[in-house]
Amino acid sequence: MGFKEAVRTCMREKYFTFSGRASRSEYWYFYLFVVICWAVLAAAFFGLGGIRAIETGRFTTVNYIVGALCVVGFIYILIPNISVQVRRFHDRDLSGWWVLAGWVGSNIPYVGTVVGIVMLVITILKGTDGDNRFGPDPLKAQNSADVFA
């Protein structure tokens, strides 16, 4: 799965889908998309005088607009970000509730670092081969009958 396909899958086809499985490429390409979006919004905020506005306490209309875009963007990307992480855990044959446990655990001092590393490792590891209790293998080729349909 390529970059564009992963973004389309997460943002349109599986925006609110917590069932099924997500391959590593789907997860990491979507994660790259999220990082790029945040980098662009942060560059816009700070490039348009965000630091000066924070220091002086005087925000311009542009600062408010870019700040609002950041908030709306965060809310808009939060759901597919959680859903693709849950589906990535499903690919490892782990319950999606571990994502919630990881988010809670990552806010505990000192423990949060270990939890973050564990969650990173889980998303990096290869998914289970073949079908598991959460669905078919996302890397497995579809039925050949679908090719000629």
Side-chain angles (χ1 to χ4, degrees):
M1 177 175 291
F3 180 79
K4 288 167 67 174
E5 186 180 358
V7 172
R8 185 185 69 242
T9 300
C10 292
M11 295 300 289
R12 288 189 180 177
E13 298 167 9
K14 296 183 178 181
Y15 185 85
F16 213 101
T17 304
F18 293 90
S19 61
R21 298 167 63 176
S23 63
R24 286 183 287 184
S25 60
E26 179 182 349
Y27 177 80
W28 286 108
Y29 278 132
F30 184 71
Y31 189 81
L32 176 64
F33 170 73
V34 170
V35 169
I36 290 171
C37 287
W38 282 118
V40 168
L41 287 173
F45 180 76
F46 291 115
L48 296 172
I51 294 175
R52 186 173 51 250
I54 291 171
E55 290 173 350
T56 62
R58 286 182 269 153
F59 292 89
T60 64
T61 304
V62 173
N63 296 128
Y64 284 119
I65 291 171
V66 174
L69 285 174
C70 289
V71 170
V72 169
F74 174 76
I75 293 169
Y76 185 68
I77 288 187
L78 182 65
I79 298 298
N81 200 6
I82 294 170
S83 70
V84 75
Q85 190 168 22
V86 166
R87 287 186 277 118
R88 183 72 201 120
F89 271 53
H90 286 175
D91 194 38
R92 292 283 311 143
D93 205 15
L94 295 168
S95 172
W97 289 105
W98 284 109
V99 174
L100 177 63
W103 281 36
V104 170
S106 65
N107 290 309
I108 300 171
Y110 303 109
V111 174
T113 304
V114 175
V115 169
I117 292 170
V118 168
M119 290 185 70
L120 175 68
V121 168
I122 289 171
T123 59
I124 290 173
L125 291 174
K126 185 177 183 286
T128 56
D129 291 326
D131 298 349
N132 68 15
R133 62 187 169 139
F134 297 104
D137 191 347
L139 300 178
K140 191 175 184 182
Q142 300 296 325
N143 278 339
S144 59
D146 292 340
V147 175
F148 299 107

